[in-house]
Amino acid sequence: MSWITESNRLKHFFYAIPCAMLLTILFVGGLAAGMEFKDRAYGGKWDWLDLLATILGGIVGQMLQVLIFYALKCVHQTHF
């Protein structure tokens, strides 16, 4: 797992979490592709590991979103 600590991949991972929590993993997929497209357009290279780090963060964020919604549903059902 040393690949995720290289470059700025941890930033990709951690910034994707709130994006997926507020929106969805599909949004994060678009963000990931857009960031890599921007890197390529400005003379860099497409980095599949950056994209993977972003998607993994999005998966974590989406799971947190589902857990929050489930917890809110359970709380709502017990009070009424």
Side-chain angles (χ1 to χ4, degrees), residues 24-73:
T24 66
I25 187 67
L26 295 175
F27 178 75
V28 171
L31 284 176
M35 286 187 288
E36 293 312 309
F37 180 81
K38 182 259 320 162
D39 287 347
R40 180 131 164 92
Y42 284 94
K45 64 181 180 86
W46 185 281
D47 190 346
W48 288 103
L49 294 177
D50 280 357
L51 189 130
L52 178 62
T54 307
I55 295 296
L56 290 174
I59 290 170
V60 170
Q62 188 79 73
M63 289 189 316
L64 290 172
Q65 180 194 64
V66 169
L67 288 173
I68 290 168
F69 284 153
Y70 181 74
L72 289 173
K73 179 183 174 197

